[in-house]
Amino acid sequence: RRFKQIEENVSSAQIDADRQREVVAVLEEERTRVNAAESRFEEQLQGSQAQRGAGPSEDTMVEYNRLSEQLRSECVEDMHTRDVQDRQIQLLSEASRRVSDRLDGLQGQLEGVAASERVYVQQQQTAEAGVANVEREMQQARRDAEAAKAENERLVRVEIELNEKLEGVLKDLSQARAEQRETAREAKLKEMVSALQRVFTGVHGRLAELCRPTHQKYDVGVATVLGRHMDAIVVDRQATAIECISYIKEQRAGQATFLPLDTLQPQSANDSLRHAHRSARLATDVLQYDSAVEAAVMHACGNALICDTLDVARHVCYERKLDAKAVTLDGSVIHRSGLITGGVGNRGQRGKAQTWEAVAVDNLRKARDRLAEELQTIARERRKLAKEEAVTTRLTGLQTKHRISREALDAIGRKLQGLATERKHIEAKIT
């Protein structure tokens, strides 16, 4: 506004100066005419005096001097006015130049402020992108920490469960009668069955390994019922049995009895025998086995009864006259013909009953090895899993980085606010 006012003042002074110059020029012309007239008057006066021989009158000279003085006074005043106006124009021009220079300086400052604003805006955008990136990394780090914590807790729970199971297995294994050594014949038979299972697909295994008494107290009785069938090998078809026999002969691996499931035709259990006595039960009812080998189990057991005592067996066979073989828990037998077998010779059946103990021990060992392997797997997974401390340290570092980035962004924002204030101040000066 001041610059415009100065420009208006300069223009007005310039117009006044031009007007005064015109007046001065008119006066100069008038003075020139007056001087010319004065010169002519003096010449005429001198000529008249020469002719008359006398000078101008006193009144004439007084008037002449008055007019000359008036003319000189007016010319001097006009020239003074013109000089004053020229000095005003010069001063106003100088002020206009200074204002113009100042305006140029302000324009330069404004351009500098604008350039700084562009730089800081770019820095602000970069800082905002950096803060957003750090925030995303912090969110991911939090998720990683939570996932690592949850996974570690899960692995700890699994490890505790496995250790408890392993402790139980080891306890059972220590309590089992694992000191009993298997005979050379049993070892050879087990090796034969393993070889047959590797060569032929339809070999299920030894009957003693495919069924198991529901309670240890039935071991001797069930072993007595099964008798020679305990070591019999169960196969799916008769053709498989023939192939196995041929293989055994070729390998000179010994002898074996086979129970082909497709040719066995066992009789169904007599349900009336289940109610013969409260201390007597069908041998098939105290055995655990897979339904796939049911025919072999039924064939080996028939309708034999397992009785708690010899008195119960006598009651079933002699008093109730049931057509069934009765076997006691200690291995004594009352045959269907009425013949009774028992005594010291039953030690062989007790030896056969130990087969299930050996199977149990073997299963416990397998369970022990499996649990130990699972524990090793858990340990490897825990080593691979990122430690919570490392994740927490990373999260702490990211939080520090986020704080520094946010402070830098706030500082840029304050600088931009200062530049905006400075720009408004410069624009106010310009306008």
Side-chain angles (χ1 to χ4, degrees):
R1 288 194 299 268
R2 182 180 178 185
F3 181 72
K4 290 182 179 179
Q5 184 65 40
I6 292 174
E7 286 183 342
E8 291 176 359
N9 293 338
V10 170
S11 298
S12 177
Q14 189 68 41
I15 292 172
D16 292 339
D18 292 340
R19 187 183 302 113
Q20 291 297 326
R21 286 192 183 91
E22 292 176 356
V23 173
V24 170
V26 171
L27 291 176
E28 286 290 343
E29 293 178 355
E30 184 66 25
R31 187 177 63 177
T32 301
R33 288 196 300 271
V34 170
N35 290 332
E38 182 181 7
S39 298
R40 288 195 301 273
F41 176 76
E42 289 179 352
E43 289 177 356
Q44 290 175 2
L45 181 60
Q46 291 176 0
S48 298
Q49 290 177 352
Q51 292 176 0
R52 291 192 302 266
S57 64
E58 184 177 355
D59 294 334
T60 300
M61 291 303 297
V62 170
E63 182 65 18
Y64 171 76
N65 291 331
R66 185 183 67 76
L67 291 174
S68 296
E69 185 63 26
Q70 181 180 356
L71 181 60
R72 277 193 298 272
S73 177
E74 290 178 354
C75 289
V76 169
E77 184 178 355
D78 291 338
M79 291 179 66
H80 177 72
T81 301
R82 185 188 66 182
D83 293 339
V84 170
Q85 290 178 345
D86 287 341
R87 284 193 297 274
Q88 289 178 350
I89 290 173
Q90 185 177 1
L91 292 173
L92 290 173
S93 298
E94 184 65 22
S96 176
R97 184 185 62 76
R98 288 195 300 271
V99 171
S100 179
D101 292 341
R102 185 181 179 187
L103 181 61
D104 293 339
L106 293 174
Q107 290 288 353
Q109 293 179 12
L110 188 61
E111 291 177 358
V113 170
S116 298
E117 283 182 326
R118 288 192 296 271
V119 172
Y120 281 115
V121 166
Q122 186 175 3
Q123 292 180 359
Q124 185 183 45
Q125 293 173 351
T126 303
E128 288 175 349
V131 169
N133 185 50
V134 172
E135 290 176 349
R136 286 193 296 270
E137 291 183 1
M138 288 174 60
Q139 293 176 355
Q140 184 62 43
R142 290 192 184 98
R143 289 193 293 268
D144 292 343
E146 293 174 357
K149 182 179 180 181
E151 181 64 13
N152 190 52
E153 291 176 352
R154 185 190 71 82
L155 292 175
V156 168
R157 290 194 301 269
V158 172
E159 188 175 21
I160 292 174
E161 293 175 0
L162 291 175
N163 280 319
E164 291 176 352
K165 291 179 180 180
L166 182 59
E167 183 179 357
V169 168
L170 292 175
K171 183 177 180 182
D172 293 340
L173 191 59
S174 64
Q175 293 176 353
R177 289 175 290 181
E179 294 82 6
Q180 296 180 348
R181 297 180 180 273
E182 61 181 0
T183 64
R185 179 181 175 278
E186 290 175 346
K188 187 175 182 180
L189 184 58
K190 290 178 66 175
E191 184 179 353
M192 177 200 302
V193 173
S194 299
L196 291 175
Q197 288 177 331
R198 288 194 299 269
V199 176
F200 304 103
T201 58
V203 179
H204 292 281
R206 295 168 61 203
L207 183 60
E209 297 174 351
L210 299 175
C211 64
R212 178 178 180 81
T214 57
H215 195 277
Q216 188 177 358
K217 69 178 182 178
Y218 300 124
D219 287 358
V220 175
V222 171
T224 303
V225 171
L226 294 179
R228 60 186 177 84
H229 290 110
M230 282 193 67
D231 292 332
I233 302 173
V234 181
V235 295
D236 57 351
R237 296 179 298 110
Q238 187 178 23
T240 303
I242 294 173
E243 292 176 352
C244 289
I245 292 171
S246 298
Y247 178 80
I248 292 173
K249 289 180 179 180
E250 291 175 0
Q251 300 296 322
R252 299 180 182 273
Q255 293 182 346
T257 301
F258 292 88
L259 296 176
L261 296 173
D262 62 338
T263 61
L264 296 177
Q265 296 180 353
Q267 295 180 355
S268 300
N270 188 351
D271 289 338
S272 63
L273 296 176
R274 290 191 170 92
H275 309 288
H277 195 278
R278 64 180 181 179
S279 297
R281 54 199 58 81
L282 286 170
T284 54
D285 290 346
V286 297
L287 279 174
Q288 297 174 342
Y289 54 88
D290 191 271
S291 60
V293 296
E294 183 178 5
V297 176
M298 295 294 294
H299 174 78
C301 293
N303 288 319
L305 291 172
I306 303 294
C307 302
D308 291 349
T309 64
L310 187 58
D311 291 336
V312 174
R314 289 196 189 99
H315 173 78
V316 170
C317 293
Y318 297 149
E319 296 180 14
R320 299 198 58 180
K321 300 185 183 302
L322 296 178
D323 186 17
K325 181 172 68 173
V327 181
T328 63
L329 295 181
D330 62 0
S332 298
V333 183
I334 299 179
H335 298 275
R336 294 170 66 180
S337 62
L339 178 66
I340 300 178
T341 304
V344 180
N346 289 339
R347 292 178 180 175
Q349 304 302 335
R350 292 190 179 91
K352 290 185 177 180
Q354 292 176 358
T355 300
W356 286 303
E357 295 180 5
V359 172
V361 170
D362 187 53
N363 290 334
L364 287 173
R365 288 170 178 166
K366 290 179 180 178
R368 176 198 61 191
D369 296 340
R370 177 178 54 80
L371 291 172
E373 184 177 355
E374 290 181 2
L375 283 171
Q376 291 178 357
T377 302
I378 292 295
R380 287 194 296 269
E381 290 180 359
R382 292 189 65 183
R383 285 195 296 270
K384 291 179 182 179
L385 187 66
K387 294 183 179 179
E388 293 183 41
E389 295 80 1
V391 177
T392 303
T393 301
R394 178 169 175 264
L395 181 59
T396 303
L398 288 173
Q399 289 174 343
T400 303
K401 184 178 179 181
H402 178 267
R403 177 177 56 78
I404 295 174
S405 300
R406 175 58 65 182
E407 291 176 355
L409 182 61
D410 293 340
I412 293 174
R414 289 192 295 271
K415 289 181 179 179
L416 284 173
Q417 290 178 354
L419 289 173
T421 302
E422 184 178 357
R423 174 170 50 79
K424 290 180 180 179
H425 181 66
I426 293 173
E427 289 175 348
K429 287 183 178 180
I430 291 175
T431 56

